[in-house]
Coordinates of all heavy atoms in Angstrom, one line a residue:
M1 N -27.1 -49.7 43.1 CA -27.2 -48.3 43.5 C -27.7 -48.2 44.9 O -28.7 -48.8 45.2 CB -28.2 -47.7 42.5 CG -28.6 -46.3 42.9 SD -29.8 -45.6 41.8 CE -28.8 -44.5 40.9
L2 N -27.1 -47.4 45.7 CA -27.5 -47.1 47.0 C -27.8 -45.7 47.2 O -26.9 -44.8 47.0 CB -26.4 -47.6 48.0 CG -26.1 -49.0 48.2 CD1 -25.0 -49.3 49.1 CD2 -27.4 -49.7 48.7
L3 N -29.0 -45.4 47.6 CA -29.3 -44.0 48.0 C -29.3 -43.8 49.5 O -29.1 -42.7 50.0 CB -30.7 -43.6 47.4 CG -30.7 -43.6 45.9 CD1 -32.1 -43.2 45.4 CD2 -29.7 -42.6 45.3
R4 N -29.5 -44.9 50.2 CA -29.5 -45.0 51.6 C -28.6 -46.1 52.0 O -28.7 -47.2 51.4 CB -30.9 -45.1 52.2 CG -31.7 -43.9 52.0 CD -33.1 -44.0 52.5 NE -33.3 -45.0 53.6 CZ -34.4 -45.4 54.1 NH1 -35.5 -44.8 53.8 NH2 -34.5 -46.3 55.0
D5 N -27.9 -46.0 53.1 CA -27.0 -47.1 53.5 C -27.7 -48.3 54.0 O -27.2 -49.4 53.9 CB -26.0 -46.6 54.6 CG -25.0 -45.6 54.1 OD1 -24.7 -45.6 52.9 OD2 -24.5 -44.8 54.9
D6 N -28.9 -48.1 54.5 CA -29.6 -49.2 55.2 C -30.4 -50.1 54.2 O -30.9 -51.1 54.6 CB -30.4 -48.7 56.3 CG -31.5 -47.7 55.9 OD1 -31.3 -47.1 54.9 OD2 -32.5 -47.6 56.6
R7 N -30.6 -49.6 53.0 CA -31.5 -50.4 52.1 C -31.1 -50.1 50.6 O -31.1 -49.0 50.1 CB -32.9 -49.9 52.3 CG -33.9 -50.8 51.6 CD -35.4 -50.4 51.9 NE -36.1 -50.2 50.7 CZ -36.9 -49.3 50.5 NH1 -37.2 -48.4 51.4 NH2 -37.5 -49.2 49.3
A8 N -30.8 -51.2 49.9 CA -30.5 -51.0 48.4 C -31.8 -50.9 47.7 O -32.9 -51.5 48.0 CB -29.8 -52.2 48.0
L9 N -31.8 -50.1 46.6 CA -33.0 -50.0 45.7 C -33.0 -51.0 44.7 O -31.9 -51.3 44.1 CB -33.0 -48.6 45.1 CG -33.3 -47.4 46.0 CD1 -33.2 -46.1 45.3 CD2 -34.7 -47.6 46.7
A10 N -34.1 -51.5 44.3 CA -34.2 -52.5 43.2 C -34.0 -51.8 41.9 O -34.4 -50.7 41.7 CB -35.6 -53.2 43.2
Y11 N -33.3 -52.5 41.0 CA -33.1 -51.9 39.6 C -34.4 -51.5 39.0 O -34.5 -50.5 38.4 CB -32.4 -53.0 38.8 CG -32.2 -52.6 37.4 CD1 -31.1 -51.7 37.0 CD2 -33.0 -53.0 36.4 CE1 -31.0 -51.3 35.7 CE2 -32.9 -52.6 35.1 CZ -31.8 -51.8 34.7 OH -31.7 -51.4 33.4
T12 N -35.4 -52.3 39.1 CA -36.7 -52.0 38.5 C -37.3 -50.8 39.0 O -38.0 -50.0 38.3 CB -37.7 -53.2 38.6 OG1 -37.8 -53.6 40.0 CG2 -37.2 -54.4 37.8
T13 N -37.2 -50.5 40.3 CA -37.7 -49.3 40.9 C -37.0 -48.1 40.4 O -37.7 -47.1 40.0 CB -37.5 -49.4 42.5 OG1 -38.1 -50.5 43.0 CG2 -38.0 -48.1 43.1
V14 N -35.7 -48.2 40.3 CA -34.9 -47.0 39.7 C -35.3 -46.8 38.3 O -35.6 -45.6 37.8 CB -33.4 -47.3 39.8 CG1 -32.6 -46.2 39.1 CG2 -33.0 -47.4 41.3
M15 N -35.5 -47.8 37.5 CA -35.8 -47.7 36.1 C -37.2 -47.2 35.9 O -37.5 -46.4 35.0 CB -35.6 -49.0 35.3 CG -34.2 -49.4 35.2 SD -33.1 -48.1 34.7 CE -33.7 -47.6 33.1
T16 N -38.2 -47.5 36.8 CA -39.5 -47.0 36.7 C -39.5 -45.5 37.0 O -40.2 -44.7 36.3 CB -40.4 -47.7 37.8 OG1 -40.5 -49.1 37.5 CG2 -41.8 -47.1 37.8
V17 N -38.7 -45.1 38.0 CA -38.6 -43.6 38.3 C -38.0 -42.9 37.1 O -38.5 -41.8 36.7 CB -37.8 -43.4 39.6 CG1 -37.5 -41.9 39.8 CG2 -38.6 -44.0 40.8
M18 N -36.9 -43.5 36.5 CA -36.3 -42.8 35.4 C -37.2 -42.7 34.2 O -37.3 -41.7 33.5 CB -35.0 -43.6 35.0 CG -34.0 -43.7 36.1 SD -33.3 -42.1 36.5 CE -31.9 -42.1 35.5
E19 N -38.0 -43.7 33.9 CA -38.9 -43.7 32.8 C -40.0 -42.6 33.1 O -40.4 -41.9 32.2 CB -39.6 -45.1 32.7 CG -40.7 -45.1 31.6 CD -40.2 -44.9 30.2 OE1 -39.0 -45.1 29.9 OE2 -41.0 -44.5 29.3
N20 N -40.5 -42.6 34.3 CA -41.5 -41.5 34.6 C -40.9 -40.1 34.5 O -41.6 -39.2 33.9 CB -42.0 -41.7 36.1 CG -42.9 -42.9 36.2 OD1 -43.5 -43.4 35.3 ND2 -43.0 -43.4 37.4
L21 N -39.7 -39.9 34.9 CA -39.1 -38.6 34.7 C -38.8 -38.3 33.3 O -39.0 -37.1 32.8 CB -37.8 -38.5 35.5 CG -37.9 -38.6 37.1 CD1 -36.6 -38.7 37.7 CD2 -38.7 -37.3 37.5
Y22 N -38.5 -39.3 32.5 CA -38.3 -39.1 31.0 C -39.6 -38.7 30.4 O -39.7 -37.7 29.6 CB -37.8 -40.4 30.4 CG -37.8 -40.4 28.9 CD1 -36.9 -39.6 28.2 CD2 -38.8 -41.1 28.2 CE1 -37.0 -39.6 26.8 CE2 -38.8 -41.1 26.8 CZ -37.9 -40.3 26.1 OH -38.0 -40.3 24.8
R23 N -40.7 -39.4 30.7 CA -42.0 -39.1 30.1 C -42.5 -37.7 30.5 O -43.2 -37.0 29.7 CB -43.1 -40.1 30.5 CG -43.0 -41.4 29.6 CD -44.2 -42.3 29.8 NE -43.9 -43.2 30.8 CZ -44.6 -43.3 32.0 NH1 -45.6 -42.6 32.2 NH2 -44.3 -44.2 32.9
K24 N -42.1 -37.2 31.7 CA -42.5 -35.9 32.1 C -41.6 -34.8 31.6 O -41.9 -33.6 31.8 CB -42.5 -35.8 33.6 CG -43.6 -36.7 34.3 CD -43.6 -36.6 35.8 CE -44.7 -37.4 36.4 NZ -44.8 -37.3 37.8
G25 N -40.6 -35.2 30.9 CA -39.7 -34.2 30.3 C -38.5 -33.7 31.2 O -37.8 -32.8 30.8
W26 N -38.4 -34.4 32.3 CA -37.3 -34.0 33.2 C -35.9 -34.6 32.8 O -34.9 -34.1 33.2 CB -37.6 -34.4 34.6 CG -38.8 -33.6 35.2 CD1 -40.1 -33.9 35.1 CD2 -38.7 -32.4 35.9 NE1 -40.8 -33.0 35.8 CE2 -40.0 -32.0 36.3 CE3 -37.6 -31.6 36.3 CZ2 -40.3 -30.9 37.0 CZ3 -37.9 -30.4 37.0 CH2 -39.2 -30.1 37.3
L27 N -36.0 -35.7 32.1 CA -34.8 -36.3 31.6 C -34.8 -36.5 30.1 O -35.8 -36.6 29.5 CB -34.6 -37.7 32.3 CG -34.5 -37.8 33.8 CD1 -34.5 -39.2 34.2 CD2 -33.2 -37.1 34.2
R28 N -33.6 -36.5 29.5 CA -33.3 -37.0 28.1 C -32.7 -38.3 28.2 O -32.1 -38.7 29.2 CB -32.4 -36.0 27.4 CG -32.9 -34.7 27.1 CD -31.9 -33.9 26.2 NE -30.7 -33.6 26.8 CZ -30.4 -32.5 27.4 NH1 -31.2 -31.5 27.3 NH2 -29.2 -32.3 28.0
R29 N -32.8 -39.1 27.2 CA -32.1 -40.4 27.2 C -31.7 -40.7 25.8 O -32.2 -40.3 24.8 CB -33.0 -41.5 27.7 CG -34.2 -41.9 26.8 CD -35.0 -43.0 27.5 NE -36.1 -43.4 26.6 CZ -37.0 -44.2 26.9 NH1 -37.1 -44.7 28.2 NH2 -38.0 -44.5 26.1
E30 N -30.6 -41.6 25.8 CA -30.1 -42.1 24.5 C -29.6 -43.5 24.7 O -29.2 -43.9 25.8 CB -29.0 -41.2 23.9 CG -27.7 -41.2 24.7 CD -26.7 -40.4 24.0 OE1 -27.0 -39.2 23.7 OE2 -25.6 -40.9 23.7
R31 N -29.7 -44.3 23.7 CA -29.3 -45.7 23.8 C -27.8 -45.8 24.0 O -27.0 -45.0 23.4 CB -29.6 -46.5 22.5 CG -31.0 -46.9 22.5 CD -31.1 -48.2 23.3 NE -32.5 -48.7 23.2 CZ -32.9 -49.6 24.0 NH1 -32.2 -50.1 25.0 NH2 -34.2 -50.1 23.8
D32 N -27.4 -46.7 24.9 CA -26.0 -47.0 25.1 C -25.9 -48.5 25.1 O -26.0 -49.1 26.2 CB -25.5 -46.4 26.4 CG -24.0 -46.5 26.6 OD1 -23.3 -47.0 25.8 OD2 -23.5 -46.1 27.7
G33 N -25.7 -49.1 24.0 CA -25.8 -50.6 23.9 C -27.2 -51.0 24.1 O -28.1 -50.5 23.4
R34 N -27.4 -51.9 25.0 CA -28.8 -52.3 25.3 C -29.5 -51.5 26.4 O -30.6 -51.7 26.7 CB -28.8 -53.8 25.7 CG -28.4 -54.7 24.5 CD -28.3 -56.2 24.9 NE -29.3 -56.6 25.9 CZ -29.2 -57.7 26.6 NH1 -28.1 -58.4 26.6 NH2 -30.1 -58.0 27.5
A35 N -28.7 -50.6 27.0 CA -29.2 -49.8 28.1 C -29.6 -48.4 27.6 O -29.3 -48.0 26.5 CB -28.2 -49.8 29.2
W36 N -30.2 -47.6 28.5 CA -30.4 -46.2 28.3 C -29.4 -45.4 29.1 O -29.2 -45.7 30.3 CB -31.8 -45.8 28.7 CG -32.9 -46.4 27.8 CD1 -33.8 -47.4 28.1 CD2 -33.2 -45.9 26.5 NE1 -34.6 -47.6 27.1 CE2 -34.3 -46.7 26.1 CE3 -32.8 -44.9 25.7 CZ2 -34.9 -46.5 24.8 CZ3 -33.3 -44.7 24.4 CH2 -34.4 -45.5 24.0
R37 N -29.0 -44.3 28.6 CA -28.2 -43.3 29.3 C -29.0 -42.1 29.5 O -29.5 -41.5 28.5 CB -26.9 -43.0 28.6 CG -26.0 -42.0 29.3 CD -24.7 -41.7 28.6 NE -23.9 -42.9 28.3 CZ -23.0 -43.5 29.1 NH1 -22.8 -42.9 30.3 NH2 -22.4 -44.6 28.8
Y38 N -29.2 -41.7 30.8 CA -30.1 -40.6 31.1 C -29.3 -39.4 31.5 O -28.2 -39.5 32.1 CB -31.1 -41.0 32.2 CG -32.1 -42.0 31.9 CD1 -31.9 -43.3 32.0 CD2 -33.3 -41.6 31.4 CE1 -32.8 -44.3 31.7 CE2 -34.3 -42.5 31.1 CZ -34.1 -43.9 31.2 OH -35.0 -44.8 30.9
E39 N -29.8 -38.2 31.2 CA -29.3 -37.0 31.7 C -30.4 -35.9 31.9 O -31.4 -36.1 31.3 CB -28.2 -36.4 30.8 CG -28.7 -36.0 29.4 CD -27.6 -35.6 28.5 OE1 -26.5 -36.0 28.6 OE2 -27.9 -34.7 27.7
P40 N -30.2 -35.0 32.8 CA -31.2 -34.0 33.0 C -31.5 -33.2 31.7 O -30.6 -32.9 30.9 CB -30.6 -33.0 34.0 CG -29.3 -33.6 34.4 CD -29.0 -34.7 33.5
S41 N -32.8 -32.9 31.5 CA -33.2 -32.1 30.3 C -33.0 -30.6 30.5 O -33.0 -29.8 29.5 CB -34.6 -32.4 29.9 OG -35.5 -32.1 30.9
G42 N -32.8 -30.2 31.7 CA -32.6 -28.7 32.0 C -31.6 -28.6 33.1 O -31.2 -29.5 33.7
S43 N -31.2 -27.3 33.3 CA -30.3 -27.0 34.4 C -31.0 -26.8 35.7 O -32.2 -26.5 35.7 CB -29.5 -25.7 34.0 OG -30.4 -24.6 34.0
R44 N -30.3 -26.8 36.8 CA -30.8 -26.5 38.1 C -31.3 -25.1 38.1 O -32.4 -24.8 38.7 CB -29.8 -26.7 39.2 CG -30.3 -26.6 40.6 CD -29.2 -26.9 41.6 NE -28.9 -28.3 41.5 CZ -28.8 -29.1 42.5 NH1 -29.1 -28.7 43.7 NH2 -28.5 -30.4 42.3
S45 N -30.6 -24.1 37.5 CA -31.0 -22.7 37.6 C -32.3 -22.6 36.7 O -33.1 -21.8 37.1 CB -29.9 -21.8 37.1 OG -29.5 -22.2 35.8
G46 N -32.4 -23.3 35.6 CA -33.6 -23.2 34.8 C -34.8 -23.8 35.6 O -35.9 -23.2 35.5
Y47 N -34.6 -24.8 36.3 CA -35.6 -25.4 37.2 C -36.1 -24.4 38.3 O -37.3 -24.2 38.5 CB -35.2 -26.7 37.8 CG -36.1 -27.3 38.8 CD1 -37.3 -27.9 38.5 CD2 -35.8 -27.3 40.2 CE1 -38.2 -28.4 39.4 CE2 -36.7 -27.8 41.1 CZ -37.8 -28.3 40.7 OH -38.7 -28.9 41.7
T48 N -35.1 -23.8 38.9 CA -35.4 -22.8 39.9 C -36.2 -21.6 39.3 O -37.2 -21.2 39.9 CB -34.1 -22.2 40.5 OG1 -33.4 -23.3 41.1 CG2 -34.4 -21.2 41.6
A49 N -35.8 -21.2 38.1 CA -36.6 -20.1 37.5 C -38.0 -20.5 37.2 O -38.9 -19.7 37.3 CB -35.8 -19.7 36.2
A50 N -38.2 -21.7 36.7 CA -39.5 -22.2 36.4 C -40.4 -22.3 37.7 O -41.6 -21.9 37.7 CB -39.4 -23.6 35.8
L51 N -39.8 -22.7 38.8 CA -40.5 -22.7 40.1 C -40.9 -21.3 40.5 O -42.1 -21.1 40.9 CB -39.6 -23.3 41.2 CG -39.4 -24.8 41.2 CD1 -38.5 -25.2 42.3 CD2 -40.7 -25.6 41.4
M52 N -40.0 -20.4 40.3 CA -40.3 -19.0 40.7 C -41.5 -18.5 39.8 O -42.4 -17.8 40.2 CB -39.1 -18.1 40.6 CG -38.0 -18.5 41.6 SD -36.4 -17.8 41.3 CE -36.7 -16.1 41.5
S53 N -41.4 -18.8 38.5 CA -42.4 -18.4 37.6 C -43.8 -19.0 37.9 O -44.8 -18.3 37.9 CB -42.0 -18.7 36.1 OG -42.9 -18.3 35.2
D54 N -43.8 -20.3 38.2 CA -45.0 -20.9 38.6 C -45.6 -20.3 39.9 O -46.8 -20.1 40.0 CB -44.8 -22.4 38.9 CG -44.5 -23.2 37.6 OD1 -44.7 -22.7 36.5 OD2 -44.1 -24.4 37.7
A55 N -44.7 -20.0 40.8 CA -45.2 -19.3 42.1 C -45.8 -18.0 41.8 O -46.9 -17.6 42.3 CB -44.1 -19.2 43.1
L56 N -45.2 -17.2 40.9 CA -45.7 -15.9 40.6 C -47.0 -16.0 39.9 O -47.9 -15.2 40.1 CB -44.7 -15.1 39.7 CG -45.1 -13.7 39.3 CD1 -45.3 -12.8 40.5 CD2 -44.0 -13.1 38.3
A57 N -47.2 -17.0 39.0 CA -48.4 -17.2 38.3 C -49.6 -17.5 39.2 O -50.8 -17.2 38.8 CB -48.3 -18.4 37.3
T58 N -49.4 -17.9 40.5 CA -50.5 -18.1 41.4 C -51.0 -16.9 42.0 O -52.0 -16.9 42.7 CB -50.1 -19.1 42.5 OG1 -49.1 -18.5 43.3 CG2 -49.6 -20.4 42.0
S59 N -50.3 -15.7 41.9 CA -50.7 -14.5 42.5 C -51.5 -13.7 41.5 O -51.2 -13.5 40.3 CB -49.4 -13.7 42.9 OG -49.8 -12.4 43.3
A60 N -52.6 -13.1 42.0 CA -53.4 -12.2 41.1 C -52.8 -10.9 41.0 O -53.1 -10.1 40.1 CB -54.8 -12.1 41.8
D61 N -51.9 -10.5 41.9 CA -51.3 -9.2 42.0 C -49.8 -9.4 41.8 O -49.0 -9.5 42.8 CB -51.6 -8.5 43.3 CG -51.1 -7.1 43.3 OD1 -50.3 -6.6 42.4 OD2 -51.4 -6.4 44.3
H62 N -49.3 -9.5 40.6 CA -47.9 -9.7 40.3 C -47.0 -8.6 40.9 O -45.9 -8.8 41.4 CB -47.6 -9.8 38.8 CG -48.1 -11.1 38.3 ND1 -47.7 -11.6 37.1 CD2 -49.0 -12.1 38.8 CE1 -48.3 -12.8 36.8 NE2 -49.1 -13.1 37.9
R63 N -47.4 -7.3 40.8 CA -46.6 -6.2 41.3 C -46.3 -6.4 42.8 O -45.2 -6.2 43.2 CB -47.4 -4.9 41.0 CG -46.6 -3.7 41.5 CD -47.5 -2.4 41.3 NE -47.9 -2.2 40.0 CZ -47.3 -1.5 39.0 NH1 -46.2 -0.8 39.4 NH2 -47.8 -1.4 37.8
T64 N -47.4 -6.7 43.6 CA -47.2 -6.8 45.0 C -46.3 -8.0 45.3 O -45.5 -8.0 46.2 CB -48.5 -6.9 45.7 OG1 -49.3 -5.7 45.4 CG2 -48.4 -7.0 47.2
A65 N -46.6 -9.1 44.6 CA -45.8 -10.4 44.9 C -44.3 -10.1 44.6 O -43.5 -10.5 45.4 CB -46.4 -11.5 44.0
L66 N -44.1 -9.5 43.5 CA -42.7 -9.2 43.1 C -42.0 -8.2 44.1 O -40.9 -8.4 44.5 CB -42.6 -8.6 41.7 CG -42.8 -9.6 40.6 CD1 -43.0 -8.9 39.2 CD2 -41.7 -10.6 40.5
A67 N -42.8 -7.2 44.6 CA -42.3 -6.3 45.6 C -41.9 -7.0 46.9 O -40.8 -6.8 47.4 CB -43.3 -5.2 45.8
H68 N -42.8 -7.9 47.3 CA -42.5 -8.7 48.5 C -41.3 -9.6 48.3 O -40.4 -9.7 49.2 CB -43.7 -9.6 48.9 CG -44.8 -8.9 49.6 ND1 -44.7 -8.4 50.9 CD2 -46.0 -8.5 49.2 CE1 -45.8 -7.8 51.2 NE2 -46.6 -7.8 50.2
F69 N -41.2 -10.2 47.2 CA -40.0 -11.0 46.9 C -38.7 -10.2 46.9 O -37.7 -10.6 47.6 CB -40.2 -11.7 45.5 CG -39.0 -12.5 45.1 CD1 -38.7 -13.7 45.7 CD2 -38.2 -12.1 44.0 CE1 -37.7 -14.5 45.4 CE2 -37.1 -12.9 43.6 CZ -36.8 -14.1 44.3
A70 N -38.7 -9.0 46.3 CA -37.5 -8.2 46.2 C -37.2 -7.7 47.6 O -36.0 -7.6 47.9 CB -37.8 -7.0 45.3
L71 N -38.1 -7.4 48.4 CA -37.8 -6.9 49.7 C -37.3 -7.9 50.7 O -36.6 -7.6 51.7 CB -39.1 -6.2 50.4 CG -39.5 -4.9 49.7 CD1 -40.9 -4.5 50.2 CD2 -38.5 -3.8 49.9
Q72 N -37.5 -9.2 50.3 CA -36.9 -10.3 51.2 C -35.5 -10.7 50.7 O -34.9 -11.5 51.4 CB -37.8 -11.5 51.1 CG -39.2 -11.3 51.7 CD -40.1 -12.5 51.5 OE1 -39.6 -13.6 51.1 NE2 -41.3 -12.4 51.9
M73 N -35.0 -10.1 49.6 CA -33.7 -10.5 49.1 C -32.6 -9.9 49.9 O -32.7 -8.8 50.5 CB -33.6 -10.0 47.7 CG -34.5 -10.6 46.7 SD -34.2 -9.9 45.1 CE -33.9 -11.4 44.1
S74 N -31.5 -10.6 49.9 CA -30.3 -10.0 50.5 C -29.8 -9.0 49.6 O -30.1 -8.9 48.4 CB -29.2 -11.1 50.6 OG -28.7 -11.5 49.4
P75 N -28.9 -8.0 50.0 CA -28.4 -7.0 49.2 C -27.6 -7.6 48.0 O -27.7 -7.2 46.9 CB -27.5 -6.2 50.1 CG -28.1 -6.4 51.4 CD -28.6 -7.8 51.4
H76 N -26.9 -8.7 48.3 CA -26.1 -9.4 47.2 C -27.1 -9.9 46.1 O -26.8 -9.7 44.9 CB -25.3 -10.5 47.8 CG -24.6 -11.3 46.8 ND1 -23.5 -10.9 46.1 CD2 -24.8 -12.6 46.3 CE1 -23.1 -11.8 45.2 NE2 -23.9 -12.8 45.3
D77 N -28.1 -10.6 46.5 CA -29.1 -11.2 45.5 C -29.8 -10.0 44.8 O -30.1 -10.1 43.6 CB -30.1 -12.1 46.2 CG -29.5 -13.4 46.6 OD1 -28.4 -13.7 46.1 OD2 -30.1 -14.1 47.4
A78 N -30.1 -8.9 45.5 CA -30.8 -7.8 44.8 C -29.8 -7.2 43.7 O -30.3 -6.9 42.7 CB -31.1 -6.7 45.8
A79 N -28.5 -7.2 44.0 CA -27.6 -6.7 43.0 C -27.5 -7.6 41.9 O -27.5 -7.2 40.7 CB -26.2 -6.5 43.7
L80 N -27.6 -8.9 42.1 CA -27.6 -9.9 41.0 C -28.8 -9.7 40.1 O -28.7 -9.8 38.9 CB -27.5 -11.3 41.6 CG -26.2 -11.7 42.2 CD1 -26.3 -13.1 42.8 CD2 -25.0 -11.7 41.2
L81 N -29.9 -9.5 40.8 CA -31.2 -9.3 40.0 C -31.1 -8.0 39.2 O -31.5 -8.0 38.0 CB -32.4 -9.2 41.0 CG -33.7 -9.0 40.4 CD1 -34.1 -10.1 39.3 CD2 -34.8 -8.9 41.4
R82 N -30.6 -6.9 39.8 CA -30.4 -5.7 39.0 C -29.5 -5.9 37.8 O -29.9 -5.5 36.7 CB -29.8 -4.6 39.9 CG -30.8 -3.8 40.7 CD -30.3 -2.6 41.3 NE -29.3 -2.8 42.3 CZ -29.6 -3.2 43.6 NH1 -30.9 -3.3 43.9 NH2 -28.7 -3.4 44.4
E83 N -28.4 -6.7 37.9 CA -27.6 -7.0 36.8 C -28.3 -7.8 35.7 O -28.2 -7.5 34.5 CB -26.3 -7.8 37.3 CG -25.3 -7.0 38.1 CD -24.2 -7.9 38.6 OE1 -24.0 -9.0 38.1 OE2 -23.6 -7.5 39.6
A84 N -29.1 -8.8 36.2 CA -29.8 -9.6 35.2 C -30.8 -8.7 34.5 O -31.0 -8.9 33.2 CB -30.5 -10.7 35.9
L85 N -31.5 -7.9 35.2 CA -32.5 -7.0 34.5 C -31.9 -6.0 33.5 O -32.5 -5.7 32.5 CB -33.3 -6.2 35.6 CG -34.3 -7.1 36.4 CD1 -34.9 -6.3 37.5 CD2 -35.4 -7.7 35.5
E86 N -30.7 -5.6 33.8 CA -30.0 -4.7 32.9 C -29.6 -5.4 31.6 O -29.6 -4.8 30.6 CB -28.8 -4.1 33.6 CG -29.1 -3.0 34.6 CD -27.9 -2.6 35.4 OE1 -26.8 -3.0 35.2 OE2 -28.1 -1.7 36.3
R87 N -29.3 -6.7 31.7 CA -28.9 -7.5 30.5 C -30.1 -8.0 29.8 O -30.0 -8.4 28.6 CB -28.1 -8.6 31.0 CG -26.7 -8.3 31.4 CD -25.8 -9.5 31.5 NE -26.3 -10.6 32.2 CZ -26.2 -10.8 33.5 NH1 -25.4 -10.1 34.2 NH2 -26.7 -11.9 34.0
A88 N -31.3 -8.0 30.4 CA -32.5 -8.6 29.8 C -33.0 -7.7 28.7 O -33.0 -6.5 28.8 CB -33.6 -8.8 30.9
P89 N -33.4 -8.4 27.6 CA -34.0 -7.6 26.5 C -35.3 -7.0 27.0 O -36.1 -7.6 27.7 CB -34.2 -8.6 25.4 CG -34.2 -9.9 26.0 CD -33.4 -9.8 27.3
G90 N -35.5 -5.7 26.7 CA -36.7 -5.0 27.1 C -37.2 -4.2 26.0 O -36.6 -4.0 25.0
E91 N -38.4 -3.6 26.2 CA -39.0 -2.7 25.3 C -38.8 -1.3 25.8 O -39.7 -0.7 26.5 CB -40.5 -3.1 25.2 CG -40.7 -4.5 24.6 CD -42.2 -4.8 24.5 OE1 -43.0 -3.9 24.5 OE2 -42.5 -6.0 24.3
H92 N -37.7 -0.7 25.5 CA -37.4 0.6 25.9 C -37.6 1.6 24.8 O -37.1 1.3 23.7 CB -35.9 0.8 26.4 CG -35.7 -0.1 27.7 ND1 -36.1 0.3 28.9 CD2 -35.0 -1.2 27.8 CE1 -35.7 -0.6 29.8 NE2 -35.1 -1.5 29.1
E93 N -38.3 2.7 25.0 CA -38.5 3.7 24.0 C -37.2 4.4 23.8 O -36.4 4.5 24.7 CB -39.6 4.6 24.4 CG -40.9 4.0 24.5 CD -42.0 5.0 24.9 OE1 -41.7 5.9 25.6 OE2 -43.2 4.7 24.5
A94 N -37.0 4.9 22.6 CA -35.8 5.7 22.3 C -35.6 6.8 23.3 O -36.6 7.6 23.5 CB -35.8 6.2 20.9
G95 N -34.4 7.0 23.8 CA -34.2 8.0 24.8 C -34.6 7.8 26.2 O -34.3 8.6 27.1
E96 N -35.3 6.7 26.4 CA -35.7 6.4 27.8 C -34.5 5.9 28.6 O -33.8 5.1 28.2 CB -36.8 5.3 27.8 CG -37.3 4.9 29.1 CD -38.3 3.8 29.1 OE1 -38.7 3.4 28.0 OE2 -38.7 3.3 30.1
S97 N -34.3 6.4 29.8 CA -33.2 6.0 30.6 C -33.7 4.9 31.6 O -34.9 4.8 31.8 CB -32.6 7.1 31.4 OG -33.6 7.7 32.3
R98 N -32.8 4.2 32.1 CA -33.2 3.1 33.0 C -33.3 3.6 34.4 O -32.6 4.1 35.1 CB -32.2 2.0 32.9 CG -32.3 1.3 31.6 CD -31.3 0.1 31.6 NE -31.2 -0.3 30.3 CZ -31.0 -1.6 29.9 NH1 -31.0 -2.5 30.8 NH2 -31.0 -2.0 28.7

């Protein structure tokens, strides 16, 4: 396995990293003969959402942090967010409009 052209990685190094990622929950694995077959445990978009959630959790003022985030968005991304929020399950009172 080559990740860089100038230096090959040792098999044991790769397996150590894979084992660490498996133990942290980033990878799933299953037996394939005498070897392990690894795959990601989540999607890239799920990972991105988790990072955003973690970042928001560091703010004491979620309202202001979300406002700053929304104001930095491109119009296209803001439209995507609006669509996602319209599809998201919410606690709307009967007769309440969006």
Side-chain angles (χ1 to χ4, degrees):
M1 168 185 256
L2 290 175
L3 296 180
R4 293 179 21 184
D5 291 336
D6 60 334
R7 188 175 131 221
L9 291 176
Y11 174 81
T12 54
T13 300
V14 173
M15 292 313 301
T16 298
V17 171
M18 299 295 266
E19 177 65 24
N20 288 339
L21 292 172
Y22 168 74
R23 276 191 273 118
K24 291 180 179 185
W26 291 90
L27 296 175
R28 289 189 294 261
R29 71 180 182 190
E30 67 178 54
R31 278 282 185 194
D32 186 4
R34 291 178 38 201
W36 290 106
R37 181 177 303 271
Y38 290 90
E39 64 183 32
S41 59
S43 67
R44 184 177 295 232
S45 58
Y47 172 71
T48 301
L51 286 175
M52 294 166 68
S53 183
D54 289 348
L56 182 60
T58 66
S59 173
D61 184 354
H62 287 197
R63 180 185 306 264
T64 302
L66 287 169
H68 281 287
F69 178 69
L71 292 171
Q72 293 176 9
M73 295 178 125
S74 70
H76 175 74
D77 287 344
L80 292 174
L81 179 58
R82 273 191 293 281
E83 289 174 21
L85 290 171
E86 287 172 1
R87 287 193 314 266
E91 297 180 18
H92 297 284
E93 295 179 332
E96 180 183 353
S97 63
R98 291 182 191 217

